[in-house]
Amino acid sequence: MTDNAQTAAAFDAAYLSTWTEPDESKRLALIEQLWAPQGTLHISSPSLSLSGTSSIAAHITRVHGDLIASKGLTFSYDQHLESGDAILLRWSMTAPNGEVIGRGVDTVFRDTDGKVTSAYMFMGVN
């Protein structure tokens, strides 16, 4: 694996962990480590914009409780593309029986320190 591929894989794992880590305090620490303090998260459905790690963490905690903890859904990345400071992550949401029940794309922008400054999440992508 090249250094760039290792870096991409490490970012993907860290970003995914901000959503999937079961321990809320560890999840918050990951969010604070990965996101710029005034980072923004924009979600297409429902139409939602969040600013700052506290708001982003509260939303992720709700999503984690509703989809991961209670329904046993898992998430994985199917594709990672980079251009400049943007990363495109295509993801799949899988039910416990192995059926893919949803797909989406996150476009993530990072600053020169590698912190996420903004992310745009598009739900319902095929």
Side-chain angles (χ1 to χ4, degrees):
M1 193 181 282
T2 66
D3 286 344
N4 194 29
Q6 289 173 339
T7 302
F11 175 80
D12 292 358
Y15 188 76
L16 185 61
S17 291
T18 65
W19 294 88
T20 61
E21 167 58 48
D23 182 277
E24 186 174 350
S25 61
K26 288 181 183 177
R27 207 168 46 247
L28 177 58
L30 287 167
I31 291 166
E32 290 175 346
Q33 179 182 4
L34 197 64
W35 283 80
Q38 294 305 314
T40 59
L41 174 62
H42 308 276
I43 303 168
S44 67
S45 178
S47 181
L48 182 63
S49 289
L50 305 161
S51 182
T53 53
S54 295
S55 295
I56 291 167
H59 174 73
I60 289 174
T61 295
R62 283 189 300 276
V63 170
H64 187 276
D66 292 347
L67 300 178
I68 296 170
S70 69
K71 295 183 180 176
L73 301 179
T74 59
F75 293 82
S76 61
Y77 294 126
D78 307 322
Q79 189 173 26
H80 174 115
L81 298 171
E82 293 188 37
S83 180
D85 64 347
I87 300 170
L88 180 140
L89 297 169
R90 182 176 182 263
W91 50 266
S92 292
M93 178 173 47
T94 306
N97 67 3
E99 177 186 357
V100 173
I101 59 170
R103 286 202 167 91
V105 170
D106 291 6
T107 304
V108 179
F109 296 89
R110 297 185 296 172
D111 63 19
T112 56
D113 295 326
K115 298 270 191 174
V116 176
T117 57
S118 59
Y120 295 82
M121 181 180 290
F122 301 93
M123 313 292 278
V125 174
N126 292 321

